Amino acid sequence: MQGSRDRAPTEVINSIRDLGIAMGHDTGEALLDTHPEFFAYQAALTRVFAQMVHAQDVAEIRQMLDQDIKGPTSFGQIAAGKTDIGVLSSKDAYKRLDEVFDHVDFNDCRRAVMVGCGGRPFTMFRIHDQTTVPEIVGLDIVPEAVETANRLAAKLGYSRLRAELRDGCDYDYSGAQVVYVASMVSPKAAVVSRIADTAPDDVQIVLWEPYSLGRLWAESAERTLDPRLEITGRTSISRNMTRDVFVRRRPAAMHGHSR
């Protein structure tokens, strides 16, 4: 079949996603709990999903960088609104964050950190558009993603935002009041523990978590959450079998915490 090599990752992930939707999210969760052998495919499916995301990044970033923009512009105005690849389009991903702003208080936030910002850092861009946070920092371990994120930020006139080539596992979160951890970050649990090690007592943490069969290609941190932290809320589950999970430090864990 012509082009099957390009379509194969999409077909694999979308077929599993469609199955998960058909069976229901709770049934999918129960299936994985009772059949952990399915996780033998996790590494391969993670690679396939990463290929899908990369293809989406390449296509949309080119489209956005090629646009003729006069003056500061909202990412929401130039983001692609549809995709045939099976990954959330930039516009859908930007819109998906509506519920996050119902749960997270950015009023006293001086620095927001996005772990795993990627080349299309729509979460950072949404924070820039909707808040007055003076410092929005994206972390990624892929040089191309960092370079592209900064190029897009410069094109949009986002002066309060920057991406850095840094690993979230050894970053110092002491200046951050809000930390958002992306879906594909790995090892996610270790990053969350590092946040607990170094962030202020009142840090607000948001985890973009997989649910149901989505756990076959993205790590879940909430199931092995650092005992110093507790879950305070969750958004609704999306068609992509993901949701945002809101985490804070347990009150007992604040005593003796130096920061």
Side-chain angles (χ1 to χ4, degrees), residues 117-121 125 144-154 161 163:
C117 64
R120 290 182 298 144
F125 291 167
E144 181 186 6
V146 172
E147 178 187 357
T148 305
N150 283 326
R151 285 181 65 195
L152 275 174
L161 182 153

Side-chain angles (χ1 to χ4, degrees), residues 100 104 106 178-182 204-208 244-247:
V100 170
V104 179
F106 287 93
V178 175
V179 182
Y180 189 104
V181 182
Q204 301 174 81
I205 306 168
V206 187
L207 309 177
W208 192 2
D244 290 298
V245 176
F246 304 97
V247 176

Side-chain angles (χ1 to χ4, degrees), residues 85-257:
I85 298 178
V87 183
L88 275 178
S89 72
S90 290
K91 194 175 291 291
D92 287 341
Y94 185 89
K95 176 72 173 170
R96 185 194 69 81
L97 293 160
D98 287 353
E99 286 188 78
V100 170
F101 290 88
D102 294 335
H103 287 78
V104 179
D105 182 3
F106 287 93
N107 289 328
D108 296 320
C109 180
R110 298 178 299 282
R111 178 187 293 165
V113 177
M114 169 81 188
V115 186
C117 64
R120 290 182 298 144
F122 39 79
T123 301
M124 295 169 65
F125 291 167
R126 179 68 185 268
I127 293 171
H128 195 288
D129 285 345
Q130 194 156 334
T131 75
T132 58
V133 175
E135 191 179 11
I136 305 165
V137 182
L139 312 179
D140 209 290
I141 59 173
V142 180
E144 181 186 6
V146 172
E147 178 187 357
T148 305
N150 283 326
R151 285 181 65 195
L152 275 174
K155 186 177 183 73
L156 293 164
Y158 283 172
S159 59
R160 295 178 284 122
L161 182 153
R162 70 178 184 276
E164 299 180 357
L165 186 64
R166 298 289 299 275
D167 190 326
C169 283
D170 55 28
Y171 186 78
D172 183 352
Y173 298 91
S174 59
Q177 288 71 46
V178 175
V179 182
Y180 189 104
V181 182
S183 174
M184 297 301 289
V185 166
S186 178
K188 193 183 288 183
V191 169
V192 175
S193 289
R194 176 64 177 176
I195 297 168
D197 287 342
T198 62
D201 279 346
D202 59 352
V203 65
Q204 301 174 81
I205 306 168
V206 187
L207 309 177
W208 192 2
E209 288 279 278
Y211 193 68
S212 181
L213 301 190
R215 289 197 285 132
L216 290 173
W217 54 79
E219 293 180 19
S220 172
E222 64 179 305
R223 290 172 161 264
T224 55
L225 191 66
D226 190 293
R228 293 169 290 179
L229 305 172
E230 63 182 0
I231 294 170
T232 61
R234 296 178 176 91
T235 62
S236 54
I237 301 166
S238 73
R239 184 186 179 279
N240 286 314
M241 295 186 289
T242 63
R243 62 185 176 187
D244 290 298
V245 176
F246 304 97
V247 176
R248 286 181 181 266
R249 198 181 299 278
R250 292 182 184 275
M254 293 186 184
H255 303 304
H257 190 251

